[in-house]
Amino acid sequence: MLVCKRIFLFWLFTLIWASPLLAQSPPPVIGHYAAITTWSDPLEALGTLSADESVTLSATVTDTIAEINFEDGEQVERGRLLIRLEDAEEQAQLRAAQALNDERRNALGRATQLQQRNLAPRADVEDTQARLRQSQADAQALEARLSNYRLHAPFSGRVGFRNVSIGALVTPGMELVTLDKLDVMKLDFTVPEVFLGRLSNGLKLSATTAAFPDEVFSGEISSIGTRIDPITRSVNVRAEMVNPGLRLRPGMLMEVVVQQRVRNTLVLPEAAIEPSGNRHFAMLINQQADTSRLERREVIIGERRSGEVEVLEGINAGDLIVIHGLQLARDGQQVRLLGIADEETDIRTLLEADR
């Protein structure tokens, strides 16, 4: 019993002796300057990609393939001949029509000269002109028909797989090749009608896809649907996105975040906010000549996002706020400032430097 009493007295004396020393050791903290930055309320949705322009070229006549001028997945320019069907018979008919044009044009010239000399009636000239116009129309019809035997790229883009071969017989409506314009993509998604008032053309958004999990693609809203779905109570929204490297593909599922209500506001790291019931507080560091003391401030917060919080009232831009060491920080207490965390210096670096 006597031994226990002596041990108790020893520890009591030690605590009484050490308490002034502990009080003289300011706790270490790390600060961060409050700053005004761009903030927006995120609106999340799921969207599906489609090409800016997309078409499936098909045959309009029945004949065999004579020429194929593309490879699988090749980038082609507008107007390039992709597929030519066998058109020898139509070419021969066109040459015959052109020869008939030449014959009737010469006949018109002779009839005109005779009529000018009063050696032929005016009616012969008019009849010859009519026959020439008819033969010209026949030649133009053949030229138009010949265009059906050639499939040209209607716009610049990337072709799909080649599923036909030279010599294959094609029929009207048979799909021959797909063509997609991929430098700009369309992203379609739906938004609940309650957010309709916050949407507008030109609103910025970001999107991610499982195919490229580490990359964020940017775009902006280009059009908003004119009708609300009466079943889902949602509105269709379309955005346009630049496709760097043509990596995005039509049909991809994307997670969309619309940056609505964009504004400039005061932002702090979430670690700087100390909740207490329904109230929130932040520790302000007042730097004097040779000391740094804390001041507990009540703040009013707004929206939150990953790792950050919007501060509406309570502190001003440029105030130095504690973001590390709040567990030991007390109002009016003197502290030891280890450093300022910013974009170039993080908390871990400052803690390692203090070891």
Side-chain angles (χ1 to χ4, degrees):
M1 185 67 177
L2 182 60
V3 174
C4 293
K5 186 176 181 180
R6 290 179 177 176
I7 294 175
F8 174 77
L9 291 174
F10 171 77
W11 282 110
L12 181 61
F13 174 77
T14 302
L15 290 174
I16 294 174
W17 177 80
S19 58
L21 296 179
L22 293 175
Q24 296 175 359
S25 178
V29 297
I30 295 176
H32 175 82
Y33 285 112
I36 299 293
T37 187
T38 302
W39 183 277
S40 62
D41 300 334
L43 175 60
E44 299 181 354
L46 291 177
T48 302
L49 282 175
S50 60
D52 184 38
E53 300 287 351
S54 182
V55 67
T56 298
L57 301 179
S58 59
T60 58
V61 295
T62 300
D63 220 311
T64 58
I65 296 177
E67 186 178 349
I68 298 177
N69 294 319
F70 67 91
E71 298 295 334
D72 293 347
E74 184 180 357
Q75 184 73 20
V76 298
E77 299 300 321
R78 177 182 179 181
R80 175 171 167 178
L81 177 64
L82 301 178
I83 294 177
R84 182 178 67 83
L85 303 182
E86 185 57 55
D87 59 355
E89 182 179 352
E90 286 70 20
Q91 290 282 4
Q93 292 175 358
L94 178 60
R95 290 193 295 270
Q98 291 171 341
L100 182 60
N101 277 340
D102 294 339
E103 178 184 346
R104 290 180 176 178
R105 189 177 295 106
N106 293 334
L108 176 61
R110 290 191 297 270
T112 301
Q113 291 177 358
L114 292 175
Q115 196 272 334
Q116 290 175 348
R117 299 175 185 176
N118 295 324
L119 299 177
R122 179 66 183 173
D124 290 348
V125 176
E126 294 175 350
D127 291 343
T128 306
Q129 288 177 335
R131 287 192 294 269
L132 176 61
R133 287 194 296 268
Q134 180 181 4
S135 63
Q136 289 175 338
D138 292 341
Q140 292 173 353
L142 286 171
E143 290 176 350
R145 185 180 177 185
L146 273 171
S147 66
N148 296 328
Y149 287 77
R150 291 173 171 81
L151 273 68
H152 296 268
F155 50 82
S156 299
R158 178 166 291 184
V159 295
F161 291 125
R162 183 167 71 90
N163 295 320
V164 292
S165 301
I166 295 177
L169 178 66
V170 298
T171 55
M174 182 175 177
E175 298 180 357
L176 301 181
V177 60
T178 60
L179 178 64
D180 295 301
K181 186 175 181 291
L182 301 178
D183 55 341
V184 175
M185 303 294 291
K186 295 175 181 177
L187 179 61
D188 295 330
F189 56 96
T190 59
V191 172
E193 64 173 328
V194 295
F195 298 108
L196 182 59
R198 302 182 183 181
L199 300 177
S200 62
N201 289 350
L203 205 59
K204 302 297 183 181
L205 59 83
S206 58
T208 57
T209 177
F212 307 101
D214 299 328
E215 187 163 357
V216 178
F217 298 88
S218 300
E220 63 180 35
I221 293 178
S222 59
S223 60
I224 302 172
T226 57
R227 298 181 181 182
I228 303 295
D229 191 310
I231 298 177
T232 63
R233 301 298 176 187
S234 60
V235 61
N236 292 323
V237 180
R238 171 167 290 179
E240 291 186 353
M241 306 179 64
V242 177
N243 186 11
L246 305 183
R247 289 172 296 172
L248 298 178
R249 294 289 189 273
M252 273 186 172
L253 179 68
M254 301 203 78
E255 298 181 8
V256 186
V257 179
V258 180
Q259 309 299 333
Q260 57 174 340
R261 294 177 56 199
V262 180
R263 58 198 182 276
N264 291 325
T265 188
L266 194 67
V267 177
L268 280 179
E270 201 168 19
I273 303 300
E274 182 182 6
S276 179
N278 295 328
R279 305 166 68 187
H280 299 84
F281 296 88
M283 283 292 185
L284 178 66
I285 304 175
N286 290 318
Q287 291 182 299
Q288 301 175 358
D290 55 352
T291 61
S292 297
R293 290 191 177 275
L294 301 181
E295 178 186 349
R296 194 168 190 246
R297 291 269 189 93
E298 183 176 1
V299 296
I300 298 177
I301 66 173
E303 301 293 333
R304 294 175 182 264
R305 62 188 182 191
S306 179
E308 293 180 322
V309 61
E310 179 186 20
V311 179
L312 304 178
E313 295 181 15
I315 59 175
N316 301 314
D319 288 346
L320 186 58
I321 308 298
V322 176
I323 64 169
H324 182 80
L326 280 175
Q327 298 84 351
L328 301 177
R330 299 293 181 267
D331 186 26
Q333 186 179 28
Q334 182 178 346
V335 293
R336 182 167 59 94
L337 184 61
L338 298 183
I340 309 298
D342 52 26
E343 295 181 355
E344 299 179 356
T345 307
D346 56 15
I347 294 177
R348 177 178 293 182
T349 302
L350 294 173
L351 291 176
E352 291 178 350
D354 186 58
R355 291 177 182 175

